[in-house]
Amino acid sequence: MLWPATLIGATAGFALASIPGAMLGGLLGQVLDRRLKLDSWSALWARLRGRSEIASGDLLFVLLGRLAKSDGRVQAAHIQQARSEMKRLGLDESRTRRAIAAFNRGKAGRDNLQPALAGLREERLSAERLLRSCWQMAAADGRIGEVERELILQWGQWLGFKPAQVQALGAGYDTPQGLAPARGNSYSEALKLLGVTADCEPATIKRAYRRLLSKHHPDKLAGSGASPTAVRAATERTRELQSAYNLIRERHGFR
C-alpha cells in the first residue's frame, strides 16, 4: 500500500529542512492520507482532478450502475434489479431519486471507487451485503461475464476480502443462469438436501440450512489450507444448499 501524501510531505520536508523536515512533512502527509483515504497515486490523482467523494448512501448504486454498463449496454433486467434494491431498502421518493442519480453516475464510470470501498473495510457485514448485491446485479441478465466478475473481485479486494471469500458471497448467483439449481430442482430433493421434512417448522429448516452452510462454507476450507479443488466443491455445495433453501422457503412462505 502506498501513501502518496506521506511520501510527498517527507520529500518536501527533507528538501526544506533535512531529516527533521522530512519527519514533520511525513507525519503531516500521513494525517492527510488517512483523512482522505489516499492509498495510491490514482486516489490522489482523482482528488486533484476534482472528482467528488462518493457518499456512503450512494456507493451501492454507483457500483450497480458500473456493473450494468460494464458489457456496453444496460438491459431492462439491470434496471429492474436496481429497482428491486431500492424497494428492498425501502427508499422514499427523495432517496429513490438520489439512488437513480447514483446509478447513472456509476454507468458513466468516471469515479475512482477504491477510496470509498477501502473505507468500508472495518464494516464487514455492510461490505458483504454490498458484494452480494453486486453479484445479483451481475447475474440479472442471466449470465455473469468476465468483466463483471473481474470488477467484483477487484472491489472485494479493496474491501479486504480474499478472492475465495468474494466468490463464496456469489454462491447462488455466480452461475450461467444466475441462480444455482437444487439437485433436480424439485421440492422433495430440496428437502432431502437440507435433511428436513415438509412438516418441519420454519425455525427447524433455518437451523438445518445454517448448520449445513457453516459445515460446507468454502471460506473455512480455504482458511484450513484445503486444495483449490476442495474449495470449488464446497462452493458448489453451498450453491445447492442456498437454492434448496430458497425453494423450500418460497413453498412454505417464510423469510
Side-chain angles (χ1 to χ4, degrees):
M1 183 178 293
L2 175 67
W3 300 102
T6 301
L7 182 59
I8 293 172
T11 302
F14 183 81
L16 293 172
S18 190
I19 294 177
M23 294 176 65
L24 179 59
L27 180 62
L28 293 174
Q30 187 175 60
V31 171
L32 186 62
D33 279 327
R34 293 184 180 279
R35 189 176 188 84
L36 298 181
K37 297 183 176 65
L38 302 176
D39 56 4
S40 67
W41 288 112
S42 61
L44 176 62
W45 181 240
R47 285 281 183 175
L48 293 175
R49 290 176 64 182
R51 291 180 181 175
S52 58
E53 186 173 326
I54 303 173
S56 59
D58 296 339
L59 179 58
L60 168 61
F61 291 97
V62 171
L63 295 176
L64 298 185
R66 178 75 65 90
L67 283 170
K69 187 67 173 179
S70 63
D71 61 357
R73 185 168 65 91
V74 178
Q75 300 184 26
H78 295 133
I79 295 174
Q80 182 58 45
Q81 182 59 36
R83 288 174 177 166
S84 296
E85 285 291 337
M86 296 174 198
K87 183 177 180 180
R88 179 182 68 83
L89 294 171
L91 303 186
D92 59 21
E93 184 177 349
S94 175
R95 292 171 65 197
T96 296
R97 287 197 299 269
R98 181 164 178 166
I100 292 172
F103 185 80
N104 291 331
R105 175 178 174 177
K107 289 192 299 182
R110 290 191 292 267
D111 286 293
N112 174 28
L113 299 171
Q114 186 173 358
L117 290 168
L120 286 177
R121 277 177 173 258
E122 303 303 320
E123 300 178 34
R124 190 76 173 185
L125 291 178
S126 296
E128 288 182 355
R129 285 194 293 268
L130 195 69
L131 289 173
R132 286 195 184 96
S133 293
C134 287
W135 281 118
Q136 285 180 283
M137 175 58 76
D141 60 352
R143 60 178 295 276
I144 297 179
E146 285 304 312
V147 175
E148 294 167 312
R149 186 187 309 278
E150 290 301 318
L151 281 174
I152 297 174
L153 288 172
Q154 179 65 81
W155 296 342
Q157 180 183 342
W158 290 342
L159 285 164
F161 291 90
K162 296 178 180 179
Q165 294 173 320
V166 180
Q167 293 280 11
L169 291 170
Y173 308 109
D174 190 13
T175 65
Q177 291 77 33
L179 190 62
R183 293 175 181 174
N185 199 30
S186 74
Y187 173 64
S188 61
E189 289 177 345
L191 291 170
K192 184 178 179 180
L193 185 62
L194 264 62
V196 297
T197 60
D199 58 354
C200 282
E201 293 293 326
T204 301
I205 296 171
K206 290 178 182 179
R207 282 196 299 271
Y209 169 65
R210 290 167 182 165
R211 176 176 54 80
L212 289 169
L213 201 63
S214 177
K215 179 180 177 181
H216 296 285
H217 204 289
D219 286 357
K220 286 189 175 181
L221 290 178
S224 63
S227 67
T229 301
V231 173
R232 284 195 296 271
T235 301
E236 180 60 32
R237 185 68 167 178
T238 299
R239 292 171 181 166
E240 292 178 348
L241 290 169
Q242 186 174 43
S243 182
Y245 177 69
N246 286 338
L247 182 61
I248 296 170
R249 183 180 59 181
E250 290 175 5
R251 180 69 66 91
H252 285 244
F254 65 86
R255 290 189 175 185

